[in-house]
Amino acid sequence: MSFKNPVLGLCQQSSFMLSAAKVDQCPEDQGFEVAFAGRSNAGKSSALNTLTHASLARTSKTPGRTQLLNFFSLDDSRRLVDLPGYGYAKVPIPLKQHWQKHLEKYLGSRESLKGIILLMDVRHPMTDFDKMMLDWSVASGMPMHILLTKADKLTYGAAKGTLLKVQTEIRKGWGNSVTIQLFSAPKRSGLDEAYEVLATWLDLMPEASVDPAQV
């Protein structure tokens, strides 16, 4: 890594903590948490595993495998949270309703939550779920950073063009508070920007020296 970020070492020593089906099963609400959200098959588990240099989150060719709030410990006061994938058609409706109910409760009540990493497939960005999360982020004042995943599936020019297009759409609809970048787990590209956002939110680098791309 060319950028020596203080969060990198913590991510490399991260470990599974617990899974929660309901908010009252979550760890004690103190310290710092960053949650990873994304529509099913947006590459959320792959991104988490790449950032932590581990196989913390299960990956599958079958979307919708993440059915619980999964907590990963970085140290005694810092955690990453893998939120349930959302929107996969083959998931039974009652399970979808359960996910939505507890996801909304977690997002709305968790004091230790400091920011949301929203994963969007660069080939299919700005789904209804993505727009719902953007609405919630702006309304609640919760910081949000977007990873446009699977950037390796497009040429550099096409990926950059999508980035600029999504930036413009978000600026018009949700303002300038959301940050966004390209990301590829297989190519390990976009790691420095993502680590810097995590370090700032986890109170490890209060004064970032390089600002992430803003919309």
Side-chain angles (χ1 to χ4, degrees):
M1 297 292 296
S2 60
F3 175 62
K4 302 302 182 181
N5 190 294
V7 79
L8 177 57
L10 290 183
C11 283
Q12 290 177 331
Q13 67 185 29
S14 56
S15 61
F16 174 75
M17 190 175 184
L18 60 82
S19 294
K22 299 179 181 179
V23 174
D24 58 13
Q25 298 171 345
C26 293
E28 189 172 354
D29 191 5
Q30 61 182 17
F32 305 86
E33 279 178 7
V34 173
F36 286 68
R39 195 178 188 281
S40 297
N41 212 26
K44 179 161 53 66
S45 295
S46 295
L48 265 169
N49 290 339
T50 300
L51 287 165
T52 59
H53 293 202
S55 296
L56 295 179
R58 290 191 306 173
T59 59
S60 172
K61 292 183 179 179
T62 302
R65 287 289 295 275
T66 305
Q67 302 177 11
L68 302 166
L69 297 165
N70 294 305
F71 291 81
F72 304 100
S73 174
L74 301 181
D75 62 18
D76 290 341
S77 62
R78 296 174 176 87
R79 299 170 294 277
L80 302 181
V81 189
D82 187 9
L83 300 181
Y86 190 88
Y88 184 49
K90 292 184 180 180
V91 173
I93 290 177
L95 183 55
K96 285 185 180 180
Q97 293 172 337
H98 171 85
W99 289 355
Q100 184 170 0
K101 174 184 175 183
H102 292 288
L103 179 59
E104 290 175 351
K105 188 172 182 181
Y106 168 81
L107 292 173
S109 66
R110 196 74 175 165
E111 292 293 329
S112 54
L113 181 61
K114 305 305 179 185
I116 300 285
I117 301 289
L118 179 61
L119 292 296
M120 296 184 193
D121 186 329
V122 70
R123 300 165 299 175
H124 313 288
M126 299 302 287
T127 65
D128 289 343
F129 171 80
D130 299 330
K131 294 175 182 178
M132 179 185 75
M133 291 299 297
L134 282 161
D135 286 342
W136 176 83
S137 170
V138 172
S140 64
M142 178 64 64
M144 175 173 283
H145 183 68
I146 295 171
L147 301 185
L148 287 178
T149 61
K150 307 185 183 183
D152 55 287
K153 300 293 185 181
L154 301 178
T155 65
Y156 176 78
K160 192 71 173 179
T162 299
L163 172 64
L164 295 174
K165 181 179 178 180
V166 175
Q167 283 179 329
T168 299
E169 184 175 351
I170 293 175
R171 185 185 302 116
K172 289 180 178 178
W174 291 271
N176 299 316
S177 61
V178 179
T179 54
I180 186 170
Q181 66 168 98
L182 294 172
F183 188 88
S184 168
K187 298 294 185 181
R188 303 187 63 80
S189 62
L191 289 175
D192 285 358
E193 286 179 270
Y195 281 134
E196 189 156 1
V197 171
L198 289 174
T200 301
W201 290 351
L202 293 170
D203 197 34
L204 289 167
M205 200 171 76
E207 296 182 2
S209 59
V210 180
D211 291 332
Q214 291 199 350
V215 298

